[in-house]
Amino acid sequence: MLVFVTTVILYVFGFVFLYGVIRIGVRHGLEDVEAHRAQVAREEQLAAYQDRTFARENAFLTGS
């Protein structure tokens, strides 16, 4: 009986531990996605600014 109770307790705690590990992994993954999303947005703004600056400085290439 003691072996059965010990097995059940370890089984339950194993699932609780696994749930915690998965939850932490998902949280860190979402944080990485949010950080990457902000970086991509900054890169897009910088690229647009550089395009406008290039077109302004080299108007003869744009046909304006």
Side-chain angles (χ1 to χ4, degrees):
M1 185 68 184
L2 181 62
V3 172
F4 179 72
V5 171
T6 305
T7 304
V8 169
I9 289 173
L10 290 176
Y11 189 74
V12 169
F13 281 119
F15 277 118
V16 171
F17 176 76
L18 186 60
Y19 170 76
V21 169
I22 291 171
R23 188 172 176 197
I24 289 171
V26 169
R27 184 187 317 152
H28 285 293
L30 290 175
E31 289 173 358
D32 290 344
V33 166
E34 289 296 323
H36 183 68
R37 183 178 295 151
Q39 180 183 2
V40 168
R42 267 187 266 116
E43 289 173 358
E44 288 177 357
Q45 289 174 349
L46 180 60
Y49 174 75
Q50 289 174 342
D51 288 345
R52 285 191 306 269
T53 303
F54 180 80
R56 201 175 314 120
E57 291 175 352
N58 301 297
F60 64 93
L61 293 174
T62 61
S64 299

